[in-house]
Structures are given as C-alpha cells and as structure tokens.
Amino acid sequence: MKIDLKLTQIIIIVILFIFTFSNVAMAQTITGDPLPSWNEGTNKQTIINFVENVTDPENPNYVAPELRIATFDNDGTLWAEKPMYFQAAFSLSRIRELAPKFPEWKDKQPFKAVLENDQDYLANITVNELLEIAMVTHAGMSQKEFEQEAKEFLDTAKHPRFNQLYKQVIYQPMLELLTYLQNKQFKTYICSGGGLDFIRLFSEEAYDIAPENVIGSNIFKTYEIVSNHSQFIRQPQLIEPINDKAGKPVNIERFIGKKPMLAVGNSDGDIEMMQYTVIEHQPSLALLLHHDDEIREYRYTKGTEKALELAKEYNWKVISMKQDFKQVFSFTSE
Amino acid sequence: MKIDLKLTQIIIIVILFIFTFSNVAMAQTITGDPLPSWNEGTNKQTIINFVENVTDPENPNYVAPELRIATFDNDGTLWAEKPMYFQAAFSLSRIRELAPKFPEWKDKQPFKAVLENDQDYLANITVNELLEIAMVTHAGMSQKEFEQEAKEFLDTAKHPRFNQLYKQVIYQPMLELLTYLQNKQFKTYICSGGGLDFIRLFSEEAYDIAPENVIGSNIFKTYEIVSNHSQFIRQPQLIEPINDKAGKPVNIERFIGKKPMLAVGNSDGDIEMMQYTVIEHQPSLALLLHHDDEIREYRYTKGTEKALELAKEYNWKVISMKQDFKQVFSFTSE
C-alpha cells in the first residue's frame, strides 16, 4: 500500500510536470531551441542572431525593450489565406445565412453568385462587389451582434482542405517566433489588411496578441446609450486608409507611433511596411514568407511578385515554407 | 586623510540614496502612502480602496492585469487648460512665426486677430476659424518637421501665469495617481481631445505614458519614399471622430478594444468616456476633476456644467482641487 501511494504520487508529479512544460515557452527552456519547428539554416540563424543581439545589453546593437516593436501581417503570414481569405469565407457564410431576409438577392449580383456558388463569377468579382458583400455582413449591426456572429463562425467553420477550424490553420513556426519575441520583451503586433474586429476575436487565443496590439482595416462606429445600455453601431463606411500597402506604415504610425524593428509579411501588400521597417533604420529585419510548398500547404507567387523582387534590393529574408519550415501546422506531424 | 575619504564615501552614498529615492514610486515605498499630494478624505480613500481591491487576488472584485485599463483626459485633467489650451498657444505662436511667409494674413481673419492679438475677436472665434488655424499650423508638412516645431515650443514656451514650461504645469496628485496605477499593473492611457502627435511629444517624459498609449484627435497622413527616405506628410483633414464627447468611447474601442475600468476627466467632453466606463460595468470608477481653486490654479465651471450634474446620477466622484489636492503642481510647495 505504501509503495502504491508513492507510485501514484510519482505519476501525479510526472503528469503535472508534463502539463507545466507543455507549452512552447517552456519547451524552449528545455531544448534551448526557441524555434524547434524551423529547419536549421541561414534564415533560422539570422532570426536568432538578430533577436539575441538586440536583446543583449553588452551588444552594440542592443535595443531597449520599449523600442522592440514587431509587426506581423496575418493572412498568409500567421495563418493560411487559401483557398480564400478566411474572413471572406465568413462573409460568404453570412450571406447564405442572411439570404432568407433578402429575397431580392436571388436576382442581384454579387449575392446571386454567392448563393448559387457561381465560381466563374466569383473568380472575377470586382473590388466594389467584395466591398458590398463586406458591408452587408460587417456593418449595420451592433458591435456585440457582429462579435457573436463572427465568433460563431470562428468556433465552428472548418477549412475545406485541412478539416480544422480556421483559427487552427496557423503556422507553427510563426507561432514559435511570436512566443520567442514575446519572451524577449518584444511588443508583437498584428498589422493586417483584414478586419480589426474579426482578428481581435481570435488573436489572443491563437497568438497571445491582445486586442490593443491588433492593427487592421476598420469601419466607422457610432456610440449610443439605449435604455441604459451603451453600444457601438457598425457603420457601412471604411476608415481610410485601408490597412494594406502604404496604409500599413500610416496605421503603424497612428496606432503605435514607433517604427517596428522587425516586420513579417508575405505579399505585395506588405511591401511598404517592410520598407518602412528597414529604410534608414538599424538594427532591423524584415521577413517575407514564400508559399512554395504545394505538398504541405500551397504554392503561389500571384500577388507576391513585386515583394519577391524587392527582397533582394532591401535585403529582406525570404522564408521558404518548403525549406525553412520543419513543421507547418501544429495539427500535422510535419 | 583616512577619515576624510570615509566622509566623502558617506556623502556619495547619501547623495546616491537621495537620488535613487527621489521619484514618486520610491517615495511610496517609504511612506506607504501612494498619493501623498492628496488630502485625506473620502475621495482619496475611495481611490485607494478601489485600486487595492481590484488588484488583490483574494478580493471578490479582483481584476486580471490585462483588463486594468485606465483612461485619462489630458487638458484640465493631467495638465492645466487655462488661460487657453496649451496646444492652442502653440498654434498661435506658430501663426506669428509663419506670418512673414503669408503677408495676406495681415488682412485676413482669423489670422489678423492672432497677429494683432485682438482679444475681443479671439474670445468669439468660431470652431471653423480655430480649425483653419489648426490646419495651417499642424498640416502641410512632414511628420518630422511638425515634431521639430512642436518640440521647440514645448521645450521653451512658458505658461504666462506660472512662468514654467507648459509641460511642467501638470497636476502632482494626478501624476501620483498615474504612477500608483502603473505600479499596480494598470495600463494607463491618455484619451484627449487634443492632438495625438502633440501629446506624444511629452507624454513619456511627463507622465511615463508611451506613444502607443496615447489616444487623441488626429489628421490623415500619407506615406511616401523620397530619395530613399521614408516620410509621412500631414494632410489638412481630421480623422473622424474627433476625440471628444462620443468620439472618446469610439476611439477607445478602436485603439484598445477593451472597456476602461477607471476613467478620469474634467469636462463635458469626458461625459461619454465616463458613462462608457461605468454603465453595466463593475468594478469601475470615474473621477471628475473640478476646478474650484482660484488661489492655486483656476476656478471655472463653464463647459463642465452637464458633467457635474451627471456625476450624481452615475456616482462619479467629483475631485475638488481646493479640498482634495494637498499640492497642485510639483513646482509649488503647496
């Protein structure tokens, strides 16, 4: 009996031990490798050298914690963006849900195409049509109502290829990079063309990034008190600039007021953010994730051509998903 | 000689000791009173009880650090706002500096009134005229140029009555409250009707509030690269909403995405921020600073009438400068 009790205690201790050390931060402490899902190579080494140097008070490139700003694009950088932006999938799903209330949509584009799943039409959808869909699905309700609808989607909708919740289709190596930076007292921000309020609903759970550290595209809201409830009403009008291209540095300046020293992106929409980060600014580092792995994720260069070209000129490090990522997602073994 | 050396060492140690303990945070540790410039009374006790309760893990009102958001108005709450908003004094000073380049201003209102110091005209200046002055002095240049001009003003211009730099005309009791909250892991934000970029230039030095924790009125900026320099150009157009009245909760939601649990203001422009903080939200506290001390500062209720009325309804604590502030400014002994 005495031995059994001790065995039970040992088992409990082991379980507690495993539980305690099961997160990435703790795993680092044990293995000493802050980026275990990255393959060894110059890119991994460049990132580690950069972070270790700027956080070492003895190093000439040391940077004080309050200036350790890192900005990450979201779609295609932290989570996948194919076969379509996940927020667009939310919009289409909402259009289908709302359709019974709007019988006229059966004959009105672009809603007709969404309801009929007309892939030919949707493949050539215009920006204005997308905006029309976005405004119908993202505005005209209270902030609370929107959050409920978007949360419902995020908690249930699955990625068509990976059969995981969209919010789980995130890149394990990028998650490790975020955790590594957070442990090294970097302030990590999302700087996404996607919607601020959509991203805030999962950024804390998925990336440990708080609502106040999310920069995204946004619409106007009004504030009102109705029978002693205070609420925000979402208005169908975008706040300029949309958080894409030159809008990224503009909004980084508006929301943070400091230049990032590390920027991570994957497409032409991230060019200005990456330029802003590295131009006349040392120490700094910009990483461009290249989707070149059709086996484990997707392979595409469309919308990334100019960024890939500029990478050489500005000495941005091009991260090859195929070569640099040992594991792509947390839910796969490779 | 041996004794002299020891005496020198002792003096150095005493000087180091005084130097080390000369800031407010350290003073607290010694005296145990986090708010030494506040008179004893129900207001001081309410604040201390609130802060101690919400930060005590054993208390039913305990709130986790990430939700400890406190928002402070600036003009009339953290620093004085009489005889005119300090940023308006900057604008007028810039108009005088710019006048040689704009000879037509001699005959054109409102510039004529500024150049002639026409107090009658300025007393009845319209909002549109003020906006015209603000845009001429705050837009049409690069962000860097604006910052140089505003910094020059902040580093040299003195308050006409107190004969101190404007950035030193800050309320010592509010400074202690900020430090107290910061030490208790509150995130302290400025939420001001004044200009974001103007406030950012002194908020870190004056209040230990970082640029990313300043919410203010703002204008549109564009981003451009000119001969390998990246720069922002300030455009003469305000971003809606101006950070006043209902604009305050809207921008708090936009920039932070969390409801404050403590709001501090002094005028009708702060009503919605204070409502938003306390309506259906416990634990929460709102403080309204009342300027009722013509001896040490100013006495006025204009622009504060409605807030003072609502204070009773919403149970906001009205802070009397005369009764609650033991010392008003750091540069005066009382």
Side-chain angles (χ1 to χ4, degrees):
Chain A
M1 278 303 278
K2 209 178 169 188
I3 294 169
D4 276 353
L5 185 64
K6 275 195 178 168
L7 192 62
T8 313
Q9 286 175 328
I10 290 168
I11 289 167
I12 288 171
I13 289 167
V14 168
I15 288 169
L16 282 174
F17 184 87
I18 291 167
F19 182 78
T20 308
F21 288 88
S22 65
N23 67 57
V24 175
M26 287 301 158
Q28 282 178 218
T29 316
I30 295 170
T31 65
D33 182 354
L35 303 174
S37 298
W38 291 66
N39 284 321
E40 300 305 321
T42 52
N43 279 334
K44 177 173 178 171
Q45 208 48 55
T46 298
I47 294 169
I48 291 178
N49 287 347
F50 176 78
V51 174
E52 294 301 320
N53 286 344
V54 301
T55 57
D56 172 8
E58 307 294 312
N59 192 290
N61 282 326
Y62 176 75
V63 172
E66 61 269 24
L67 295 178
R68 294 181 200 157
I69 306 292
T71 52
F72 283 75
D73 170 57
N74 188 45
D75 296 302
T77 298
L78 291 178
W79 73 0
E81 60 181 353
K82 300 289 175 188
M84 70 169 77
Y85 291 133
F86 297 177
Q87 194 175 353
F90 163 66
S91 278
L92 301 191
S93 143
R94 282 296 298 158
I95 291 289
R96 289 184 204 107
E97 280 172 28
L98 290 168
K101 285 190 200 165
F102 299 91
E104 67 272 25
W105 284 357
K106 273 186 228 153
D107 306 307
K108 192 184 170 195
Q109 293 295 14
F111 306 101
K112 185 171 182 286
V114 174
L115 298 175
E116 294 173 357
N117 199 16
D118 180 347
Q119 292 296 330
D120 287 343
Y121 192 95
L122 293 176
N124 296 301
I125 196 165
T126 68
V127 171
N128 278 343
E129 285 176 323
L130 273 178
L131 209 57
E132 197 178 350
I133 289 174
M135 288 305 138
V136 165
T137 54
H138 286 70
M141 72 288 279
S142 75
Q143 178 69 8
K144 200 175 165 185
E145 285 163 336
F146 171 77
E147 286 176 1
Q148 281 165 350
E149 288 154 8
K151 207 166 175 312
E152 163 80 13
F153 174 84
L154 286 163
D155 286 343
T156 56
K158 289 192 171 178
H159 188 280
R161 172 171 161 194
F162 299 113
N163 198 32
Q164 302 284 329
L165 294 179
Y166 282 110
K167 65 183 175 184
Q168 290 165 340
V169 185
I170 60 181
Y171 305 125
Q172 180 65 18
M174 288 299 181
L175 202 56
E176 290 169 7
L177 177 55
L178 280 173
T179 304
Y180 179 36
L181 294 168
Q182 288 158 0
N183 287 342
K184 290 285 192 176
Q185 292 178 274
F186 275 74
K187 262 198 175 175
T188 52
Y189 286 84
I190 289 172
C191 185
S192 168
L196 175 74
D197 297 307
F198 187 76
I199 298 168
R200 275 178 173 170
L201 291 174
F202 64 89
S203 64
E204 201 142 26
E205 177 191 341
Y207 312 129
D208 206 7
I209 292 182
E212 63 266 35
N213 289 1
V214 178
I215 303 171
S217 296
N218 201 354
I219 56 174
F220 284 93
K221 292 168 204 163
T222 51
Y223 170 82
E224 59 182 31
I225 294 185
V226 181
S227 56
N228 214 31
H229 300 274
S230 71
Q231 63 178 15
F232 298 103
I233 302 295
R234 298 172 60 87
Q235 305 297 331
Q237 194 193 339
L238 281 161
I239 298 173
E240 293 290 336
I242 294 176
N243 199 47
D244 195 34
K245 300 189 165 61
K248 291 205 174 193
V250 166
N251 283 324
I252 287 170
E253 205 279 332
R254 186 183 294 173
F255 280 75
I256 312 179
K258 293 171 181 171
K259 198 179 260 216
M261 59 186 300
L262 172 63
V264 188
N266 82 300
S267 78
D268 293 350
D270 301 312
I271 287 172
E272 284 84 352
M273 172 175 76
M274 299 171 86
Q275 280 176 329
Y276 177 55
T277 300
V278 303
I279 285 181
E280 298 186 295
H281 189 224
Q282 284 297 333
S284 64
L285 179 64
L287 307 175
L288 182 72
L289 178 59
H290 186 205
H291 295 264
D292 57 358
D293 191 336
E294 73 275 28
I295 307 287
R296 298 184 299 174
E297 204 240 11
Y298 298 95
R299 171 192 284 272
Y300 55 97
T301 51
K302 198 184 166 195
T304 320
E305 298 91 339
K306 205 179 154 198
L308 284 166
E309 248 183 67
L310 286 171
K312 289 167 214 152
E313 182 183 331
Y314 286 107
N315 195 26
W316 300 336
K317 302 301 168 196
V318 177
I319 308 295
S320 156
M321 187 171 278
K322 194 169 185 176
Q323 287 168 32
D324 289 309
F325 282 10
K326 188 185 287 182
Q327 180 173 341
V328 176
F329 302 112
S330 67
F331 53 79
T332 51
S333 59
E334 62 172 28
Chain B
M1 278 301 280
K2 208 180 171 188
I3 295 169
D4 276 353
L5 184 64
K6 276 194 178 168
L7 192 62
T8 313
Q9 285 175 330
I10 290 167
I11 290 168
I12 288 171
I13 288 166
V14 169
I15 289 171
L16 281 175
F17 185 86
I18 292 168
F19 181 78
T20 308
F21 288 86
S22 65
N23 67 55
V24 176
M26 287 301 157
Q28 283 177 218
T29 316
I30 295 170
T31 66
D33 182 353
L35 303 175
S37 298
W38 292 66
N39 284 320
E40 299 306 320
T42 52
N43 279 335
K44 177 173 178 172
Q45 209 48 56
T46 299
I47 294 169
I48 291 177
N49 288 348
F50 176 78
V51 174
E52 295 301 319
N53 287 344
V54 301
T55 57
D56 172 7
E58 306 294 313
N59 193 290
N61 282 326
Y62 175 76
V63 172
E66 60 269 25
L67 295 178
R68 293 179 200 158
I69 305 293
T71 52
F72 284 74
D73 171 56
N74 187 44
D75 296 303
T77 298
L78 292 178
W79 73 0
E81 61 182 353
K82 299 289 176 191
M84 70 169 79
Y85 291 133
F86 297 176
Q87 193 175 354
F90 163 66
S91 279
L92 300 190
S93 143
R94 282 296 297 159
I95 292 288
R96 290 183 204 106
E97 280 173 28
L98 289 169
K101 284 189 199 167
F102 298 90
E104 67 273 23
W105 284 355
K106 273 186 229 155
D107 306 306
K108 191 185 170 194
Q109 292 295 13
F111 304 101
K112 184 170 183 286
V114 174
L115 297 175
E116 294 172 357
N117 199 18
D118 180 346
Q119 292 295 331
D120 288 343
Y121 191 95
L122 293 176
N124 297 301
I125 196 164
T126 67
V127 171
N128 278 342
E129 285 177 322
L130 274 177
L131 210 57
E132 197 178 350
I133 288 174
M135 287 306 137
V136 164
T137 54
H138 285 70
M141 71 287 279
S142 74
Q143 178 68 7
K144 199 173 166 186
E145 284 164 336
F146 171 78
E147 287 177 359
Q148 280 166 351
E149 288 154 9
K151 204 163 178 316
E152 164 80 14
F153 173 84
L154 287 163
D155 286 344
T156 56
K158 289 192 172 181
H159 189 279
R161 173 171 161 195
F162 300 113
N163 198 34
Q164 301 283 331
L165 293 180
Y166 282 109
K167 65 183 175 184
Q168 289 165 341
V169 185
I170 61 180
Y171 306 125
Q172 180 65 18
M174 288 300 181
L175 202 54
E176 289 169 7
L177 178 54
L178 280 174
T179 304
Y180 179 35
L181 294 168
Q182 287 158 1
N183 287 342
K184 290 286 192 175
Q185 292 178 276
F186 275 74
K187 260 196 176 176
T188 53
Y189 285 84
I190 290 172
C191 184
S192 167
L196 174 75
D197 297 308
F198 187 75
I199 298 167
R200 276 179 172 169
L201 290 174
F202 64 90
S203 64
E204 200 142 25
E205 176 190 343
Y207 312 128
D208 205 7
I209 291 182
E212 62 267 35
N213 289 2
V214 178
I215 302 171
S217 296
N218 201 353
I219 56 174
F220 284 92
K221 292 168 203 162
T222 50
Y223 170 81
E224 58 181 33
I225 293 185
V226 181
S227 56
N228 214 32
H229 300 273
S230 71
Q231 63 178 15
F232 297 103
I233 302 296
R234 298 173 61 87
Q235 305 296 331
Q237 194 193 341
L238 281 162
I239 298 173
E240 292 291 335
I242 294 175
N243 199 46
D244 196 33
K245 299 190 167 60
K248 291 203 176 194
V250 166
N251 283 324
I252 287 169
E253 203 279 333
R254 187 183 292 175
F255 279 76
I256 311 179
K258 294 170 182 172
K259 198 179 258 215
M261 55 185 303
L262 172 63
V264 189
N266 81 300
S267 79
D268 292 350
D270 301 312
I271 287 173
E272 284 84 352
M273 173 174 76
M274 299 172 84
Q275 281 175 329
Y276 177 56
T277 299
V278 303
I279 286 182
E280 298 185 296
H281 189 223
Q282 285 298 334
S284 64
L285 180 65
L287 308 174
L288 183 72
L289 178 59
H290 186 203
H291 295 263
D292 57 358
D293 191 336
E294 72 276 29
I295 309 286
R296 298 185 299 174
E297 204 241 12
Y298 298 95
R299 172 191 284 271
Y300 55 97
T301 51
K302 196 181 167 196
T304 320
E305 297 91 340
K306 204 179 156 201
L308 284 165
E309 248 182 68
L310 286 172
K312 290 167 213 150
E313 182 183 331
Y314 286 107
N315 195 27
W316 299 335
K317 303 301 168 197
V318 177
I319 307 296
S320 156
M321 188 171 278
K322 194 170 183 172
Q323 288 166 33
D324 289 312
F325 282 9
K326 187 184 289 180
Q327 180 173 339
V328 177
F329 301 113
S330 66
F331 53 80
T332 51
S333 58
E334 62 174 26

